[in-house]
Amino acid sequence: MKEYEVIWEIFNKCPRNQMRDVFVEEVEIEDPEEYIKKKFQGKEVSYDKTVLNDGTIIFDIVTSQIKQRCVGLSNICYTPINKFPQNS
């Protein structure tokens, strides 16, 4: 399994409101595309997938006439606390 930081943006359809709902979560998944399919299982959904040179995966999704974007930043890397240099 790989660990991803996933950023969900839900675009607001109100003409005078340009704000987006944004949610961030960390997930462990094997296949990001399968994750999208399971999230919208049973709903009519279409999406375009883009993979950037740095490995970032972007899904532009339309479901229930609402545009959403899922950005998965692949392979989260954490530095263990004991690896930080100690002050002498």
Side-chain angles (χ1 to χ4, degrees):
M1 294 271 203
K2 292 183 181 177
E3 188 170 26
Y4 292 85
E5 181 176 61
V6 177
I7 302 169
W8 281 97
E9 296 178 273
I10 301 174
F11 296 86
N12 194 323
K13 291 179 72 171
C14 298
R16 297 178 62 101
N17 185 349
Q18 299 302 314
M19 300 299 291
R20 300 176 185 160
D21 290 332
V22 178
F23 305 93
V24 179
E25 62 182 325
E26 293 178 8
V27 296
E28 286 188 21
I29 52 177
E30 192 63 41
D31 179 6
E33 196 158 356
E34 192 63 34
Y35 172 76
I36 296 296
K37 290 176 181 178
K38 284 182 181 178
K39 190 165 185 81
F40 294 100
Q41 189 172 1
K43 298 180 181 178
E44 187 174 320
V45 63
S46 64
Y47 62 88
D48 293 316
K49 176 183 173 182
T50 305
V51 180
L52 303 181
N53 290 338
D54 66 358
T56 300
I57 303 168
I58 301 171
F59 291 93
D60 287 299
I61 303 161
V62 177
T63 184
S64 301
Q65 299 180 0
I66 296 173
K67 180 180 176 186
Q68 300 185 37
R69 178 170 290 148
C70 174
V71 179
L73 307 174
S74 63
N75 298 333
I76 298 173
C77 180
Y78 292 104
T79 303
I81 292 176
N82 62 357
K83 296 289 184 183
F84 287 107
Q86 301 295 317
N87 293 337
S88 303

Coordinates of all heavy atoms in Angstrom, one line a residue:
M1 N 0.8 -1.2 0.0 CA 0.0 0.0 0.0 C 0.9 1.2 0.0 O 1.9 1.3 0.6 CB -0.9 0.0 1.2 CG -1.9 -1.0 1.3 SD -3.4 -0.5 0.5 CE -4.6 -1.5 1.3
K2 N 0.4 2.3 -0.7 CA 1.1 3.6 -0.7 C 0.3 4.5 0.1 O -1.0 4.4 0.2 CB 1.3 4.1 -2.1 CG 2.2 3.3 -2.9 CD 2.4 4.0 -4.3 CE 3.4 3.2 -5.1 NZ 3.5 3.7 -6.5
E3 N 0.9 5.5 0.7 CA 0.2 6.5 1.5 C 0.1 7.8 0.7 O 1.2 8.2 0.1 CB 0.9 6.8 2.8 CG 0.1 7.7 3.8 CD 0.7 7.7 5.1 OE1 2.0 7.5 5.3 OE2 0.0 8.0 6.1
Y4 N -1.1 8.4 0.6 CA -1.3 9.6 -0.2 C -1.9 10.6 0.7 O -2.7 10.4 1.6 CB -2.3 9.3 -1.3 CG -1.7 8.4 -2.4 CD1 -1.8 7.0 -2.3 CD2 -1.1 8.9 -3.6 CE1 -1.3 6.2 -3.3 CE2 -0.7 8.1 -4.6 CZ -0.7 6.7 -4.4 OH -0.2 5.9 -5.4
E5 N -1.6 11.9 0.4 CA -2.3 13.0 1.0 C -3.3 13.4 -0.1 O -2.8 13.8 -1.2 CB -1.4 14.2 1.3 CG -2.1 15.3 1.9 CD -1.1 16.4 2.3 OE1 -0.4 17.0 1.4 OE2 -1.1 16.8 3.5
V6 N -4.5 13.4 0.2 CA -5.6 13.6 -0.8 C -6.2 15.0 -0.5 O -6.7 15.2 0.6 CB -6.6 12.5 -0.8 CG1 -7.7 12.8 -1.8 CG2 -6.0 11.2 -1.2
I7 N -6.3 15.8 -1.5 CA -7.0 17.1 -1.4 C -8.2 17.1 -2.3 O -8.1 16.9 -3.5 CB -6.0 18.3 -1.8 CG1 -4.8 18.2 -0.9 CG2 -6.8 19.6 -1.7 CD1 -3.7 19.2 -1.4
W8 N -9.4 17.2 -1.6 CA -10.7 17.3 -2.4 C -11.1 18.7 -2.5 O -11.2 19.4 -1.5 CB -11.7 16.5 -1.6 CG -11.7 15.0 -1.8 CD1 -11.1 14.2 -0.9 CD2 -12.1 14.3 -2.9 NE1 -11.2 12.9 -1.4 CE2 -11.8 12.9 -2.6 CE3 -12.8 14.6 -4.0 CZ2 -12.2 11.9 -3.5 CZ3 -13.2 13.6 -4.9 CH2 -12.8 12.2 -4.6
E9 N -11.4 19.2 -3.7 CA -12.0 20.5 -3.9 C -13.4 20.2 -4.5 O -13.6 19.5 -5.5 CB -11.2 21.3 -4.9 CG -9.8 21.7 -4.4 CD -9.1 22.4 -5.5 OE1 -8.5 21.8 -6.3 OE2 -9.2 23.7 -5.5
I10 N -14.4 20.9 -3.9 CA -15.8 20.8 -4.5 C -16.1 22.2 -4.9 O -16.1 23.2 -4.1 CB -16.8 20.3 -3.5 CG1 -16.4 18.9 -3.0 CG2 -18.2 20.3 -4.1 CD1 -17.3 18.3 -1.9
F11 N -16.3 22.4 -6.2 CA -16.5 23.8 -6.8 C -17.9 24.2 -6.6 O -18.9 23.5 -6.8 CB -16.2 23.8 -8.3 CG -14.7 23.5 -8.5 CD1 -14.3 22.2 -8.6 CD2 -13.8 24.5 -8.6 CE1 -12.9 21.9 -8.8 CE2 -12.5 24.2 -8.9 CZ -12.0 22.9 -9.0
N12 N -18.1 25.4 -6.1 CA -19.4 26.0 -5.8 C -20.1 26.5 -7.0 O -19.4 27.2 -7.8 CB -19.2 27.2 -4.8 CG -20.5 27.6 -4.2 OD1 -21.5 27.6 -4.8 ND2 -20.4 28.0 -2.9
K13 N -21.3 26.1 -7.3 CA -22.0 26.5 -8.5 C -22.8 27.8 -8.3 O -23.3 28.4 -9.3 CB -23.1 25.4 -8.8 CG -22.4 24.1 -9.3 CD -23.4 23.1 -9.6 CE -24.1 23.4 -10.9 NZ -25.0 22.4 -11.4
C14 N -22.8 28.4 -7.1 CA -23.5 29.7 -6.9 C -22.7 30.8 -7.7 O -21.5 31.0 -7.5 CB -23.6 30.0 -5.5 SG -24.6 28.9 -4.5
P15 N -23.4 31.6 -8.5 CA -22.7 32.6 -9.3 C -22.0 33.7 -8.5 O -21.0 34.2 -9.0 CB -23.8 33.2 -10.2 CG -25.1 32.9 -9.5 CD -24.8 31.6 -8.7
R16 N -22.4 34.0 -7.4 CA -21.7 35.1 -6.6 C -20.8 34.6 -5.5 O -20.2 35.3 -4.8 CB -22.8 36.0 -6.0 CG -23.7 36.7 -7.1 CD -24.7 37.5 -6.5 NE -24.2 38.6 -5.7 CZ -24.1 39.9 -6.1 NH1 -24.4 40.2 -7.3 NH2 -23.6 40.8 -5.3
N17 N -20.6 33.3 -5.5 CA -19.7 32.7 -4.5 C -18.6 31.9 -5.2 O -18.9 30.8 -5.8 CB -20.5 31.8 -3.6 CG -19.7 31.3 -2.4 OD1 -18.5 31.4 -2.4 ND2 -20.4 30.7 -1.5
Q18 N -17.4 32.4 -5.2 CA -16.3 31.7 -5.9 C -15.5 30.8 -4.9 O -14.5 30.2 -5.3 CB -15.4 32.7 -6.5 CG -16.1 33.6 -7.5 CD -16.6 32.8 -8.7 OE1 -16.0 31.9 -9.2 NE2 -17.9 33.0 -9.0
M19 N -16.0 30.7 -3.7 CA -15.3 29.8 -2.7 C -15.5 28.3 -3.1 O -16.5 27.9 -3.6 CB -15.7 30.1 -1.3 CG -15.5 31.5 -0.8 SD -13.8 32.0 -0.8 CE -13.2 31.0 0.5
R20 N -14.5 27.5 -2.6 CA -14.6 26.1 -2.8 C -14.6 25.4 -1.5 O -14.0 25.9 -0.5 CB -13.4 25.6 -3.6 CG -13.3 26.1 -4.9 CD -12.0 25.6 -5.6 NE -11.8 26.3 -6.9 CZ -10.7 26.4 -7.5 NH1 -9.6 25.9 -7.0 NH2 -10.6 27.0 -8.6
D21 N -15.2 24.3 -1.4 CA -15.1 23.4 -0.2 C -13.8 22.6 -0.4 O -13.7 22.0 -1.5 CB -16.3 22.5 0.0 CG -17.5 23.3 0.4 OD1 -17.4 24.3 1.0 OD2 -18.6 22.8 0.1
V22 N -12.9 22.6 0.6 CA -11.7 21.9 0.4 C -11.5 21.0 1.6 O -11.7 21.4 2.8 CB -10.5 22.9 0.3 CG1 -9.2 22.1 0.2 CG2 -10.6 23.8 -0.9
F23 N -11.2 19.7 1.4 CA -11.0 18.7 2.4 C -9.6 18.1 2.2 O -9.3 17.8 1.1 CB -12.1 17.7 2.4 CG -13.5 18.3 2.5 CD1 -14.2 18.6 1.3 CD2 -14.0 18.6 3.7 CE1 -15.5 19.1 1.4 CE2 -15.3 19.1 3.8 CZ -16.0 19.4 2.6
V24 N -8.9 17.8 3.3 CA -7.6 17.1 3.2 C -7.7 15.8 4.0 O -8.2 15.9 5.1 CB -6.5 18.0 3.7 CG1 -5.1 17.3 3.6 CG2 -6.4 19.3 2.9
E25 N -7.2 14.7 3.5 CA -7.2 13.5 4.2 C -5.9 12.7 3.8 O -5.4 12.9 2.7 CB -8.4 12.7 4.0 CG -8.7 12.2 2.6 CD -10.0 11.4 2.4 OE1 -10.4 10.7 3.4 OE2 -10.6 11.6 1.4
E26 N -5.5 11.8 4.7 CA -4.4 10.9 4.3 C -5.0 9.5 4.2 O -5.7 9.1 5.1 CB -3.3 10.9 5.4 CG -2.6 12.3 5.5 CD -1.6 12.3 6.6 OE1 -1.3 11.3 7.3 OE2 -1.1 13.4 6.8
V27 N -4.6 8.8 3.1 CA -5.2 7.5 2.9 C -4.1 6.5 2.5 O -3.1 7.0 1.9 CB -6.3 7.5 1.8 CG1 -7.5 8.3 2.3 CG2 -5.8 8.0 0.5
E28 N -4.2 5.3 2.8 CA -3.4 4.2 2.4 C -4.2 3.4 1.4 O -5.2 2.8 1.7 CB -2.9 3.3 3.5 CG -1.9 4.0 4.4 CD -1.3 3.1 5.4 OE1 -1.4 1.8 5.2 OE2 -0.8 3.6 6.4
I29 N -3.7 3.4 0.1 CA -4.4 2.7 -1.0 C -3.4 2.1 -1.9 O -2.3 2.6 -2.0 CB -5.4 3.7 -1.7 CG1 -4.7 5.0 -2.2 CG2 -6.6 4.1 -0.9 CD1 -5.5 5.9 -3.0
E30 N -3.8 1.1 -2.6 CA -3.0 0.5 -3.6 C -3.2 1.2 -5.0 O -2.2 1.4 -5.7 CB -3.3 -1.0 -3.7 CG -2.3 -1.8 -4.5 CD -0.9 -1.8 -3.9 OE1 -0.8 -1.9 -2.7 OE2 0.1 -1.7 -4.6
D31 N -4.4 1.5 -5.3 CA -4.7 2.0 -6.7 C -5.6 3.3 -6.5 O -6.8 3.1 -6.2 CB -5.4 0.9 -7.5 CG -5.8 1.4 -8.9 OD1 -5.4 2.5 -9.3 OD2 -6.5 0.6 -9.6
P32 N -5.1 4.5 -6.8 CA -5.9 5.7 -6.7 C -7.1 5.7 -7.5 O -8.2 6.2 -7.1 CB -4.9 6.8 -7.1 CG -3.6 6.2 -6.9 CD -3.7 4.8 -7.1
E33 N -7.1 5.1 -8.7 CA -8.2 5.1 -9.6 C -9.4 4.3 -9.0 O -10.5 4.6 -9.1 CB -7.9 4.6 -11.0 CG -8.9 5.0 -12.0 CD -8.3 5.0 -13.4 OE1 -7.1 4.9 -13.6 OE2 -9.2 5.2 -14.3
E34 N -9.0 3.1 -8.4 CA -10.0 2.3 -7.7 C -10.6 3.0 -6.5 O -11.8 2.8 -6.3 CB -9.3 1.0 -7.3 CG -10.3 -0.1 -6.9 CD -11.2 -0.5 -8.0 OE1 -10.8 -0.6 -9.2 OE2 -12.4 -0.9 -7.7
Y35 N -9.8 3.8 -5.8 CA -10.3 4.6 -4.7 C -11.4 5.5 -5.2 O -12.4 5.7 -4.5 CB -9.1 5.4 -4.1 CG -9.5 6.4 -3.1 CD1 -9.8 6.0 -1.8 CD2 -9.5 7.7 -3.4 CE1 -10.1 6.9 -0.8 CE2 -9.8 8.7 -2.4 CZ -10.1 8.3 -1.1 OH -10.4 9.2 -0.2
I36 N -11.2 6.2 -6.3 CA -12.2 7.1 -6.9 C -13.5 6.3 -7.2 O -14.6 6.7 -6.9 CB -11.7 7.8 -8.1 CG1 -10.5 8.7 -7.8 CG2 -12.8 8.6 -8.8 CD1 -10.8 9.9 -6.8
K37 N -13.3 5.2 -7.9 CA -14.5 4.4 -8.3 C -15.3 3.9 -7.1 O -16.5 4.0 -7.1 CB -14.0 3.2 -9.1 CG -13.5 3.6 -10.5 CD -13.0 2.4 -11.2 CE -12.4 2.8 -12.6 NZ -11.9 1.6 -13.3
K38 N -14.6 3.5 -6.0 CA -15.3 3.1 -4.8 C -16.0 4.2 -4.1 O -17.1 4.1 -3.6 CB -14.3 2.4 -3.8 CG -13.9 1.0 -4.3 CD -13.0 0.3 -3.3 CE -12.6 -1.1 -3.7 NZ -11.7 -1.7 -2.8
K39 N -15.4 5.4 -4.1 CA -15.9 6.6 -3.4 C -17.3 7.0 -4.0 O -18.2 7.4 -3.4 CB -15.0 7.7 -3.5 CG -15.4 8.9 -2.6 CD -14.2 9.8 -2.4 CE -14.5 10.9 -1.4 NZ -14.4 10.5 0.0
F40 N -17.4 6.8 -5.4 CA -18.6 7.2 -6.1 C -19.4 5.9 -6.5 O -20.2 6.1 -7.5 CB -18.3 8.1 -7.2 CG -17.7 9.4 -6.8 CD1 -16.4 9.6 -6.8 CD2 -18.5 10.4 -6.3 CE1 -15.8 10.9 -6.4 CE2 -18.0 11.6 -5.9 CZ -16.7 11.8 -6.0
Q41 N -19.2 4.8 -5.9 CA -19.9 3.6 -6.3 C -21.4 3.8 -6.3 O -22.0 4.3 -5.3 CB -19.5 2.5 -5.4 CG -19.9 1.1 -5.8 CD -19.3 0.0 -5.0 OE1 -18.6 0.3 -4.0 NE2 -19.7 -1.2 -5.3
G42 N -22.1 3.4 -7.3 CA -23.5 3.5 -7.4 C -24.0 4.8 -7.9 O -25.2 5.0 -8.0
K43 N -23.1 5.7 -8.2 CA -23.5 7.1 -8.7 C -23.0 7.2 -10.1 O -22.0 6.6 -10.5 CB -22.9 8.2 -7.8 CG -23.4 8.1 -6.4 CD -22.8 9.2 -5.6 CE -23.3 9.1 -4.1 NZ -22.7 10.1 -3.3
E44 N -23.7 8.0 -10.9 CA -23.3 8.3 -12.2 C -22.1 9.4 -12.1 O -22.3 10.4 -11.5 CB -24.4 8.9 -13.0 CG -24.1 9.1 -14.5 CD -25.3 9.6 -15.3 OE1 -26.4 9.1 -15.0 OE2 -25.1 10.4 -16.2
V45 N -21.0 9.0 -12.6 CA -19.8 9.8 -12.5 C -18.9 9.7 -13.7 O -18.9 8.7 -14.4 CB -19.0 9.4 -11.2 CG1 -18.5 8.0 -11.3 CG2 -17.9 10.4 -10.9
S46 N -18.3 10.8 -14.0 CA -17.3 10.8 -15.1 C -16.1 11.6 -14.5 O -16.2 12.4 -13.7 CB -17.8 11.5 -16.4 OG -18.1 12.9 -16.1
Y47 N -14.9 11.2 -15.0 CA -13.7 11.8 -14.6 C -12.6 11.7 -15.6 O -12.6 10.9 -16.5 CB -13.2 11.2 -13.2 CG -12.8 9.8 -13.3 CD1 -11.5 9.4 -13.6 CD2 -13.7 8.8 -13.0 CE1 -11.2 8.1 -13.7 CE2 -13.4 7.4 -13.0 CZ -12.1 7.1 -13.4 OH -11.8 5.8 -13.4
D48 N -11.6 12.7 -15.5 CA -10.4 12.7 -16.3 C -9.3 12.6 -15.3 O -9.3 13.2 -14.3 CB -10.3 14.0 -17.1 CG -11.3 14.1 -18.2 OD1 -11.6 13.2 -18.9 OD2 -11.9 15.3 -18.3
K49 N -8.3 11.8 -15.7 CA -7.1 11.5 -14.8 C -5.9 12.2 -15.5 O -5.7 11.9 -16.7 CB -6.9 10.0 -14.6 CG -5.7 9.7 -13.8 CD -5.5 8.2 -13.7 CE -4.2 7.8 -13.1 NZ -4.1 6.3 -13.1
T50 N -5.1 12.9 -14.7 CA -3.9 13.5 -15.2 C -2.8 13.1 -14.2 O -3.0 13.2 -13.0 CB -4.0 15.1 -15.2 OG1 -5.1 15.4 -16.0 CG2 -2.7 15.7 -15.8
V51 N -1.6 12.7 -14.7 CA -0.5 12.4 -13.9 C 0.6 13.4 -14.2 O 1.0 13.4 -15.4 CB 0.0 10.9 -14.1 CG1 1.2 10.7 -13.2 CG2 -1.1 9.9 -13.8
L52 N 1.0 14.2 -13.2 CA 2.1 15.2 -13.5 C 3.5 14.5 -13.4 O 3.6 13.4 -12.9 CB 2.0 16.3 -12.4 CG 0.6 17.0 -12.4 CD1 0.7 18.1 -11.3 CD2 0.3 17.6 -13.7
N53 N 4.5 15.2 -13.9 CA 5.8 14.7 -13.9 C 6.4 14.3 -12.5 O 7.2 13.4 -12.4 CB 6.8 15.7 -14.6 CG 6.6 15.8 -16.0 OD1 6.0 14.9 -16.7 ND2 7.0 16.9 -16.6
D54 N 5.9 15.0 -11.5 CA 6.4 14.7 -10.1 C 5.6 13.6 -9.5 O 5.8 13.3 -8.3 CB 6.3 16.0 -9.3 CG 4.9 16.4 -9.0 OD1 3.9 15.8 -9.5 OD2 4.8 17.4 -8.3
G55 N 4.7 12.9 -10.2 CA 3.9 11.8 -9.7 C 2.6 12.2 -9.1 O 1.8 11.3 -8.7
T56 N 2.3 13.5 -9.0 CA 1.0 13.9 -8.5 C -0.1 13.5 -9.4 O 0.0 13.6 -10.6 CB 1.0 15.4 -8.3 OG1 2.0 15.8 -7.4 CG2 -0.4 15.9 -7.8
I57 N -1.2 12.9 -8.9 CA -2.3 12.4 -9.7 C -3.5 13.3 -9.4 O -3.8 13.6 -8.3 CB -2.7 11.0 -9.2 CG1 -1.4 10.0 -9.4 CG2 -3.8 10.5 -10.1 CD1 -1.6 8.7 -8.8
I58 N -4.1 13.8 -10.5 CA -5.3 14.7 -10.4 C -6.4 14.1 -11.1 O -6.3 13.6 -12.3 CB -5.0 16.1 -11.1 CG1 -3.8 16.7 -10.4 CG2 -6.2 17.0 -11.0 CD1 -3.3 18.0 -11.1
F59 N -7.6 14.0 -10.4 CA -8.8 13.5 -11.0 C -9.8 14.7 -11.1 O -10.1 15.3 -10.0 CB -9.5 12.4 -10.2 CG -8.7 11.1 -10.2 CD1 -7.7 10.8 -9.2 CD2 -8.9 10.2 -11.2 CE1 -7.1 9.6 -9.2 CE2 -8.2 9.0 -11.2 CZ -7.3 8.7 -10.2
D60 N -10.2 15.1 -12.3 CA -11.3 16.1 -12.4 C -12.6 15.3 -12.6 O -12.7 14.5 -13.5 CB -11.0 17.0 -13.6 CG -9.9 18.0 -13.3 OD1 -10.1 18.8 -12.3 OD2 -8.9 17.9 -14.0
I61 N -13.5 15.5 -11.6 CA -14.7 14.6 -11.5 C -16.0 15.4 -11.7 O -16.0 16.5 -11.2 CB -14.7 14.0 -10.1 CG1 -13.4 13.2 -9.9 CG2 -15.9 13.1 -9.9 CD1 -13.1 12.9 -8.4
V62 N -16.9 14.8 -12.3 CA -18.3 15.4 -12.4 C -19.3 14.4 -11.9 O -19.3 13.3 -12.5 CB -18.6 15.9 -13.8 CG1 -20.1 16.5 -13.8 CG2 -17.6 17.0 -14.2
T63 N -20.0 14.7 -10.9 CA -21.1 13.8 -10.4 C -22.2 14.7 -9.9 O -22.0 15.7 -9.3 CB -20.6 12.8 -9.3 OG1 -21.7 12.0 -9.0 CG2 -20.1 13.5 -8.1
S64 N -23.5 14.3 -10.2 CA -24.6 15.1 -9.8 C -24.5 16.5 -10.3 O -24.9 17.5 -9.6 CB -24.9 15.0 -8.3 OG -25.0 13.7 -7.9
Q65 N -23.9 16.7 -11.5 CA -23.7 18.0 -12.1 C -22.8 18.9 -11.2 O -22.9 20.2 -11.3 CB -25.0 18.7 -12.4 CG -25.8 17.9 -13.4 CD -27.1 18.6 -13.8 OE1 -27.5 19.7 -13.3 NE2 -27.9 18.0 -14.6
I66 N -22.0 18.4 -10.4 CA -21.1 19.1 -9.5 C -19.7 18.7 -9.9 O -19.3 17.6 -9.9 CB -21.4 18.9 -8.0 CG1 -22.8 19.4 -7.6 CG2 -20.3 19.5 -7.1 CD1 -23.2 19.0 -6.2
K67 N -18.9 19.8 -10.1 CA -17.5 19.5 -10.4 C -16.7 19.4 -9.2 O -16.8 20.2 -8.2 CB -16.9 20.7 -11.3 CG -15.4 20.5 -11.7 CD -14.9 21.6 -12.5 CE -13.4 21.4 -12.8 NZ -12.8 22.5 -13.4
Q68 N -15.8 18.4 -9.1 CA -14.9 18.1 -8.0 C -13.5 17.9 -8.5 O -13.4 17.4 -9.7 CB -15.4 16.9 -7.2 CG -16.8 17.1 -6.6 CD -17.1 15.9 -5.7 OE1 -16.3 15.4 -5.0 NE2 -18.4 15.5 -5.7
R69 N -12.5 18.1 -7.7 CA -11.2 17.8 -8.1 C -10.5 17.1 -6.9 O -10.6 17.5 -5.8 CB -10.4 19.1 -8.4 CG -8.9 18.8 -8.8 CD -8.2 19.9 -9.3 NE -8.7 20.2 -10.7 CZ -8.8 21.4 -11.2 NH1 -8.5 22.5 -10.5 NH2 -9.3 21.6 -12.4
C70 N -9.9 16.0 -7.2 CA -9.1 15.2 -6.2 C -7.7 15.2 -6.7 O -7.3 14.8 -7.7 CB -9.7 13.8 -6.2 SG -8.7 12.7 -5.2
V71 N -6.9 15.8 -5.8 CA -5.4 15.8 -6.0 C -4.8 14.9 -5.0 O -4.9 15.1 -3.8 CB -4.9 17.2 -5.9 CG1 -3.4 17.3 -6.2 CG2 -5.6 18.2 -6.8
G72 N -4.1 13.9 -5.5 CA -3.4 12.9 -4.6 C -1.9 13.2 -4.7 O -1.3 13.0 -5.8
L73 N -1.3 13.6 -3.7 CA 0.1 13.8 -3.6 C 0.8 12.5 -3.2 O 0.7 12.1 -2.1 CB 0.5 15.0 -2.7 CG -0.3 16.3 -2.9 CD1 0.0 17.3 -1.8 CD2 0.1 16.8 -4.3
S74 N 1.4 11.9 -4.1 CA 1.9 10.5 -3.9 C 3.0 10.4 -2.9 O 3.8 11.3 -2.8 CB 2.3 9.8 -5.2 OG 3.4 10.5 -5.8
N75 N 3.1 9.3 -2.3 CA 4.2 8.9 -1.4 C 4.6 9.9 -0.4 O 5.6 10.5 -0.4 CB 5.4 8.5 -2.2 CG 5.1 7.3 -3.1 OD1 4.3 6.5 -2.8 ND2 5.8 7.2 -4.2
I76 N 3.7 10.1 0.6 CA 4.0 11.0 1.7 C 5.3 10.5 2.4 O 5.4 9.3 2.6 CB 2.8 11.0 2.7 CG1 1.6 11.6 2.1 CG2 3.2 11.9 3.9 CD1 0.4 11.4 2.9
C77 N 6.1 11.4 2.7 CA 7.4 11.1 3.3 C 7.5 11.8 4.7 O 7.4 13.0 4.7 CB 8.6 11.5 2.4 SG 10.1 11.1 3.1
Y78 N 7.7 11.0 5.8 CA 7.8 11.6 7.1 C 9.2 11.4 7.6 O 9.8 10.4 7.3 CB 6.9 10.9 8.1 CG 5.4 11.2 7.8 CD1 4.6 10.3 7.2 CD2 4.9 12.4 8.1 CE1 3.3 10.5 7.0 CE2 3.5 12.7 7.9 CZ 2.7 11.7 7.3 OH 1.4 12.0 7.1
T79 N 9.8 12.4 8.2 CA 11.1 12.2 8.9 C 10.9 11.9 10.3 O 10.3 12.6 11.1 CB 11.9 13.5 8.8 OG1 12.0 13.9 7.4 CG2 13.3 13.4 9.4
P80 N 11.4 10.7 10.7 CA 11.2 10.3 12.2 C 11.8 11.4 13.1 O 12.9 11.9 12.7 CB 11.9 9.0 12.3 CG 12.0 8.5 10.9 CD 12.0 9.7 10.0
I81 N 11.2 11.6 14.2 CA 11.7 12.6 15.1 C 13.2 12.3 15.5 O 14.0 13.3 15.6 CB 10.8 12.6 16.4 CG1 9.5 13.2 16.0 CG2 11.5 13.5 17.5 CD1 8.5 13.2 17.1
N82 N 13.6 11.1 15.7 CA 15.0 10.8 16.1 C 16.0 11.1 15.0 O 17.2 11.0 15.2 CB 15.1 9.4 16.6 CG 14.8 8.4 15.6 OD1 14.4 8.7 14.5 ND2 14.9 7.1 16.0
K83 N 15.5 11.5 13.8 CA 16.5 11.8 12.7 C 16.8 13.2 12.6 O 17.7 13.7 11.9 CB 15.9 11.3 11.4 CG 15.7 9.9 11.2 CD 17.0 9.2 11.1 CE 16.7 7.7 10.8 NZ 17.9 6.9 10.8
F84 N 16.1 14.1 13.4 CA 16.4 15.5 13.4 C 17.7 15.7 14.2 O 18.0 15.1 15.2 CB 15.3 16.3 14.1 CG 14.1 16.5 13.2 CD1 12.9 15.7 13.5 CD2 14.1 17.3 12.1 CE1 11.8 15.8 12.7 CE2 13.0 17.4 11.3 CZ 11.8 16.6 11.6
P85 N 18.6 16.7 13.7 CA 19.8 16.9 14.4 C 19.6 17.5 15.8 O 18.6 18.2 16.1 CB 20.5 18.0 13.6 CG 19.6 18.5 12.6 CD 18.4 17.5 12.6
Q86 N 20.4 17.1 16.8 CA 20.2 17.5 18.2 C 21.1 18.7 18.4 O 22.2 18.8 17.9 CB 20.6 16.3 19.1 CG 19.8 15.1 19.0 CD 18.3 15.3 19.3 OE1 18.1 15.9 20.3 NE2 17.4 14.8 18.5
N87 N 20.6 19.6 19.2 CA 21.4 20.8 19.6 C 22.3 20.4 20.7 O 22.0 19.7 21.7 CB 20.5 21.9 20.1 CG 19.7 22.5 19.0 OD1 20.0 22.4 17.8 ND2 18.6 23.2 19.4
S88 N 23.6 20.8 20.6 CA 24.6 20.4 21.7 C 24.8 21.5 22.7 O 24.7 22.6 22.4 CB 25.9 20.1 21.0 OG 25.8 19.1 20.1

